Amino acid sequence: MEKRVYNFSAGPAALPLAALEEAQRNLLVLPGAGASVMEISHRSKPFGEILETAKSNIAQLLKLPPSYKVLFIQGGASLQFSMVPMNLLRGSEEAADYIITGSWGKKALKEAQKEGKTRVAWDGKEEHYKRTPLQSELSLNAKAPYCHITSNETIEGVEFQSFPDTGGAPLVCDASSDFLSQPIPIEPFGIIYAGAQKNVGPSGVAVVIIREDLLERAPQGLPTMLDYRVVAENDSLYNTPPCFGIYVIMLVTNWLLHTIGGLDKMADVNRKKAKMLYDVIDASEGFYRGHAARECRSIMNVTWRLPNEDLEAAFVKEAKSCGLDALKGHRSVGGIRASIYNAMTVEGVQALCDFMAAFKAKQG
Ligand SMILES: *Cc1c(COP(=O)(O)O)cnc(C)c1O
């Protein structure tokens, strides 16, 4: 087999090797099923067990109270930009609050504006999305149908370190790029959603965690497939779900629970990896310049610039030739981005740190 690179892709992104190997071992015959997971009914007993395990793993990892449902929905995180306001905002007198800390939040807002009244409670645009707001900068409406945040802005590398106090309005969180990376307090959240392909599985499925009482808010007449109540009542099996994606989510969450040992342990590793990179950036005397304000730095997507774009291009190219892949920043912001999700190893991050030191010694 060709050698696997250290993959710093922002998404689809690296998956734990153990999960990939198990998928590979069971690709032709899922134990007990006599066929591949891609070839059996989504209403069969073996698939039912996969779905249950995936759900209960996520519930255990996040310590979800029983009032939260775990759903699997196609269409990625981007469909949730529309489903959230369709279900919770349509027909509401009050505006939904949106806190915009980067590119994905902006996209979420754009879809909500098509469904109802919205209010931008804070927008970091003037500071080039380098930080999250302080509580004192926010005036949130406690009666809003919800307040939307993006817990980690994947493109800018800016992450909430604590969550805004909404005064009671449910927080709706796009957690696509930091889902299951660390423990979070569940209680303020009405909905947490995440496209799987950053941290928990292949693309083609989003995990949606929703507090049960919000299911009652959906207006009549929504398209069946876009109604959270229908998804919940049918246990994500109204139609054929993305079976393979859900299977891999089960494998990855098994790994998180049983090999890593839960989200506290995962967070320790993730913080350690992020600190290794930020330490190199901070010690580089301005050769590497981090994008995010220190106190808002992401532990999943580390973003930085070099003195000029030619050096950035050379950095990406040379890194690739050393087996450090996909370090080019998002096309909208440029620079360098190292995505170091759960599956990225300390060893991989160390290899990148060593490369950064050597590159600076040569060019700096
Ligand atoms: C990648 C990403 C999305 C888009 O996800 P899709 O599943 O491709 O729709 C949305 N929000 C955040 C924070 C992301 O990182």
Side-chain angles (χ1 to χ4, degrees):
M1 190 177 65
E2 249 182 69
K3 193 168 176 318
R4 281 169 63 79
V5 294
Y6 289 124
N7 178 8
F8 294 93
S9 170
L15 289 169
L17 190 59
L20 292 177
E21 284 171 341
E22 189 169 348
Q24 182 184 45
R25 273 197 306 278
N26 296 342
L27 191 70
L28 299 185
V29 185
L30 184 71
S36 166
V37 67
M38 290 180 276
E39 303 169 305
I40 58 172
S41 168
H42 53 295
R43 309 206 184 272
S44 65
K45 190 159 171 282
F47 187 74
E49 285 167 5
I50 288 169
L51 183 71
E52 274 313 305
T53 308
K55 275 174 18 186
S56 84
N57 283 352
I58 291 168
Q60 274 185 69
L61 285 163
L62 286 170
K63 302 192 166 52
L64 293 181
S67 54
Y68 287 82
K69 296 273 177 254
V70 179
L71 313 176
F72 299 102
I73 303 180
Q74 304 197 37
S78 299
L79 183 63
Q80 296 309 306
F81 295 166
S82 299
M83 272 183 84
V84 165
M86 278 182 169
N87 281 263
L88 301 188
L89 183 58
R90 254 191 209 183
S92 161
E93 287 296 314
E94 301 281 346
D97 280 334
Y98 275 73
I99 298 176
I100 312 296
T101 52
S103 310
W104 290 111
K106 253 195 300 195
K107 286 196 165 174
L109 170 67
K110 186 167 160 234
E111 297 308 312
Q113 286 167 336
K114 299 175 187 172
E115 290 295 332
K117 283 189 236 171
T118 55
R119 194 176 67 121
V120 175
W122 191 82
D123 190 333
K125 182 166 192 250
E126 284 184 6
E127 294 171 59
H128 306 291
Y129 297 121
K130 66 180 173 63
R131 66 178 184 98
T132 56
L134 301 168
Q135 183 69 32
S136 58
E137 295 173 288
L138 296 170
S139 64
L140 298 171
N141 177 9
K143 294 212 194 73
Y146 61 87
C147 170
H148 186 281
I149 62 168
T150 309
S151 49
N152 181 63
E153 280 285 359
T154 322
I155 292 174
E156 289 80 5
V158 167
E159 188 171 26
F160 278 90
Q161 312 293 314
S162 63
F163 297 105
D165 179 356
T166 63
L171 266 184
V172 170
C173 179
D174 175 1
S176 293
S177 51
D178 64 354
F179 188 58
L180 303 184
S181 66
Q182 57 186 329
I184 54 165
I186 291 300
E187 193 256 338
F189 293 96
I191 293 180
I192 299 169
Y193 64 89
Q197 71 276 15
K198 309 280 161 67
N199 224 359
V200 283
S203 62
V205 54
V207 181
V208 179
I209 295 168
I210 183 164
R211 211 176 64 204
E212 244 168 0
D213 59 291
L214 297 178
L215 295 170
E216 303 310 318
R217 292 237 205 124
Q220 294 302 315
L222 281 183
T224 306
M225 288 291 292
L226 301 179
D227 186 333
Y228 287 132
R229 205 166 17 196
V230 173
V231 185
E233 279 169 3
N234 291 279
D235 198 12
S236 303
L237 293 172
Y238 176 79
N239 75 329
T240 318
C243 296
F244 185 73
I246 294 170
Y247 171 63
V248 177
I249 291 175
M250 179 195 76
L251 297 179
V252 171
T253 52
N254 277 344
W255 169 83
L256 263 173
L257 259 182
H258 307 302
T259 305
I260 299 297
L263 296 191
D264 284 309
K265 295 270 172 51
M266 192 72 253
D268 288 344
V269 179
N270 286 333
R271 285 201 198 96
K272 174 175 171 181
K273 290 183 299 187
K275 183 172 186 306
M276 287 163 68
L277 284 172
Y278 289 121
D279 282 351
V280 173
I281 290 171
D282 291 342
S284 74
E285 294 158 331
F287 183 72
Y288 298 119
R289 281 173 295 121
H291 172 77
R294 272 171 204 251
E295 63 282 8
C296 306
R297 284 172 161 177
S298 169
I299 59 168
M300 296 276 98
N301 309 97
V302 180
T303 52
W304 71 92
R305 305 299 307 240
L306 271 71
N308 60 59
E309 288 183 8
D310 290 344
L311 276 176
E312 288 169 351
F315 181 96
V316 170
K317 190 162 167 239
E318 277 185 41
K320 188 175 171 68
S321 72
C322 298
L324 303 161
D325 200 23
L327 286 161
K328 192 170 180 332
H330 190 271
R331 59 188 185 281
S332 63
V333 298
I336 311 291
R337 171 174 57 176
S339 296
I340 50 170
Y341 301 120
N342 289 350
M344 172 52 65
T345 56
V346 171
E347 183 197 17
V349 172
Q350 185 60 56
L352 176 55
C353 290
D354 293 345
F355 174 81
M356 289 169 77
F359 189 85
K360 175 174 179 272
K362 199 168 57 167
Q363 307 279 358

